[in-house]
Amino acid sequence: MNSNAGRIEEAAELVDSDNHLFRKITTRIVPVLWLVYFFNYLDRTNVAYAHLRMKDDLGFSDPVFGLGASLIFFGLIAFEIPSNIVLARIGLRKTLFRIMILWGLCSAAMSLVTTPTEFYILRFMIGVFEAGLVPGALYYITLWYPTQRRGQPCAMFYTAPSCAGIVSGPLAAGFMTYLNGVGNFKGWQWLFIMEGLPCLVLAFVAYRVLADSPDKATWLTRDERRRVQNLIQDSNVAHHTLDRQDFLTVARDPRLWVLGLTGFLMLIPQFGLTFWQPTLLKGMGLTVMEVGIYSALPAICGVVTSVLVAKHSDATGERCWHYIGSALTAAVGLLLTTFFPSNTLLTLLCLCLTWAGFVSAYAMLWTFPGRIFSGRVAATGLAIITVIHGSAGIVGPYGLALIKTATGGFTISLYTGSVLLVASTLIFYPFFSRRSTLQLEQAR
């Protein structure tokens, strides 16, 4: 009896020790990754607010802006997988340093744009330079956390773009309003400068604070390093190599392509709305400052709802219907937005519903790759999915611009977005319902 009590007490102490260890790891690495992703989102989407003034100052048409907004994703797609293969060999610190220095400089250089060609080139290069960031960060998390502990750091990491979405509007409005004319620069030029240059500082911070893997973390004790390595050893996540067989193993799994296609369909309307929502609101007679402030409300709803949905999903252990419900919520929100073209309050409420669905659905979607891929193939699997998802960024902003130009408004594009969201759930369900998952695992 005493022996059993001793073993129980020893097990409880080990659990407490592990909890303390991973809190220590989380406190060290997650805030840095979060800040990097936060600024990444700001620099990727600030053009949506800059466009409110760039359009008049530079004479850019809607298709020019739409194509420029989309070109960043061409760069991402072209270099996402190569960047992650390099990351697996040289480590995250060097990769992040290279990404942030080059993307920060390129983002700040957007302030010097005068022609569509310059706009296109810089947007494409920003995509090239930031390629590999998100899947690389997710892969990095697998190096530090065993499978059962990855949910929390991933969820925390994915709050960064949502939080950036909350402050991006007010920040952009403030820079464009209060810095307009300072130093002979327009407000939209200051927007690019003020959100691009901090990335240079953050690059040095990340390089100093992060370690490439637990065995190289001098801020952990020898016993702590050994404990982390033992916990992750089963999935071989400490190996930083990738060969042809690993790639083929990933590519043969149909769930990889279903996750990619589901996200592609869902993200087309999400990317479209991300870059065109400020224009939609300004078209209702709002000032730039009002657009910036009001844009924060849907983002706040997205963050709060995604946390609640994720918490309920974790408590129940159910993922599939949480994704489907969230995606359909976004579809309904988009559809309802078309009903109130001149009512600002009702339009904002519909956008809040839409973003609650968008953010929750995308967070749910990313709970599935970690259940399918691990070890050496994880970085490649995540990169392939991210590339497919990134392709939606090519279609969404530019496609919406073409539809808006052809029809004179946003109604048809919002209808189209609703249909695509419904289609994503129809493709997703047969492969990720509980019954389908069990059947596929038994077949394997």
Side-chain angles (χ1 to χ4, degrees):
M1 195 71 165
N2 291 334
S3 177
N4 288 337
R7 283 197 294 268
I8 292 173
E9 184 177 350
E10 184 179 341
E13 290 177 354
L14 183 59
V15 170
D16 289 340
S17 176
D18 285 347
N19 289 338
H20 173 76
L21 171 59
F22 284 103
R23 281 196 299 269
K24 183 177 180 179
I25 292 172
T26 298
T27 302
R28 180 82 179 195
I29 69 173
V30 173
V32 176
L33 296 178
W34 190 92
L35 279 173
V36 170
Y37 199 13
F38 178 89
F39 276 97
N40 171 255
Y41 186 87
L42 283 183
D43 286 344
R44 181 186 293 188
T45 60
N46 55 15
V47 70
Y49 295 96
H51 173 63
L52 299 178
R53 294 281 174 79
M54 289 177 70
K55 180 177 181 179
D56 295 330
D57 290 344
L58 302 180
F60 287 179
S61 66
D62 286 342
V64 166
F65 169 71
L67 179 57
S70 296
L71 278 171
I72 192 173
F73 297 97
F74 280 96
L76 280 170
I77 290 168
F79 289 88
E80 195 86 87
I81 294 177
S83 179
N84 275 269
I85 293 175
V86 172
L87 178 147
R89 292 172 179 166
I90 69 172
L92 183 79
R93 292 168 72 233
K94 293 180 181 177
T95 301
L96 263 190
F97 188 80
R98 180 261 303 169
I99 286 175
M100 298 200 69
I101 291 292
L102 295 177
W103 127 45
L105 289 173
C106 206
S107 181
M110 284 286 295
S111 62
L112 305 178
V113 162
T114 58
T115 67
T117 300
E118 293 170 354
F119 181 51
Y120 296 153
I121 292 173
L122 283 176
R123 288 292 294 178
F124 175 77
M125 294 309 298
I126 291 174
V128 170
F129 293 145
E130 73 172 54
L133 172 62
V134 175
L138 293 173
Y139 170 62
Y140 183 69
I141 288 173
T142 70
L143 303 181
W144 291 86
Y145 297 87
T147 302
Q148 68 273 20
R149 288 184 179 268
R150 291 175 194 162
Q152 184 181 20
C154 286
M156 293 170 67
F157 175 71
Y158 268 109
T159 63
S162 300
C163 292
I166 293 173
V167 303
S168 61
L171 272 180
F175 291 143
M176 293 171 64
T177 300
Y178 298 114
L179 294 181
N180 188 42
V182 175
N184 293 322
F185 280 94
K186 301 285 189 179
W188 60 267
Q189 292 176 302
W190 277 114
L191 171 61
F192 290 123
I193 294 170
M194 297 298 288
E195 293 185 355
L197 294 184
C199 299
L200 307 183
V201 177
L202 188 54
F204 287 93
V205 173
Y207 190 82
R208 180 175 178 80
V209 172
L210 299 178
D212 284 324
S213 57
D215 58 302
K216 298 178 181 178
T218 57
W219 42 272
L220 292 177
T221 67
R222 181 178 301 176
D223 289 341
E224 287 173 335
R225 291 196 293 269
R226 186 180 298 115
R227 178 60 178 166
V228 174
Q229 289 175 286
N230 288 339
L231 288 171
I232 64 176
Q233 188 174 8
D234 291 342
S235 57
N236 291 325
V237 295
H239 292 288
H240 291 189
T241 58
L242 182 72
D243 57 29
R244 182 171 177 270
Q245 187 58 43
D246 292 328
F247 181 83
L248 292 177
T249 299
V250 174
R252 289 194 193 104
D253 194 322
R255 293 173 296 180
L256 169 78
W257 306 106
V258 171
L259 285 175
L261 181 58
T262 299
F264 174 79
L265 293 175
M266 190 207 82
L267 286 170
I268 288 176
Q270 182 173 336
F271 280 131
L273 193 59
T274 295
F275 288 100
W276 284 100
Q277 181 174 286
T279 302
L280 185 154
L281 292 175
K282 192 169 187 297
M284 302 180 73
L286 302 179
T287 66
V288 171
M289 182 59 73
E290 289 172 335
V291 169
I293 294 173
Y294 291 166
S295 293
L297 299 178
I300 292 172
C301 289
V303 172
V304 173
T305 306
S306 67
V307 171
L308 295 176
V309 170
K311 184 176 181 180
H312 187 267
S313 177
D314 286 342
T316 61
E318 202 286 322
R319 307 293 189 191
C320 177
W321 283 105
H322 282 76
Y323 169 76
I324 291 175
S326 298
L328 292 179
T329 297
V332 171
L334 281 179
L335 187 64
L336 292 177
T337 302
T338 65
F339 292 177
F340 313 105
S342 58
N343 190 311
T344 303
L345 176 60
L346 291 179
T347 296
L348 277 173
L349 291 176
C350 294
L351 289 174
C352 287
L353 182 66
T354 300
W355 281 106
F358 273 147
V359 180
S360 301
Y362 198 53
M364 280 295 101
L365 196 63
W366 275 108
T367 64
F368 290 90
R371 299 165 61 183
I372 302 171
F373 307 111
S374 62
R376 294 181 300 179
V377 302
T380 299
L382 292 170
I384 292 173
I385 292 172
T386 305
V387 165
I388 299 173
H389 290 183
S391 301
I394 297 173
V395 180
Y398 189 49
L400 196 153
L402 294 178
I403 295 174
K404 179 177 181 293
T405 300
T407 62
F410 289 97
T411 300
I412 300 301
S413 58
L414 295 177
Y415 285 158
T416 303
S418 294
V419 171
L420 293 176
L421 284 161
V422 174
S424 79
T425 65
L426 297 178
I427 292 171
F428 176 81
Y429 178 76
F431 285 85
F432 291 97
S433 65
R434 182 172 178 82
R435 179 182 300 178
S436 299
T437 301
L438 291 174
Q439 290 174 345
L440 186 54
E441 289 177 351
Q442 291 170 358
R444 288 178 177 276

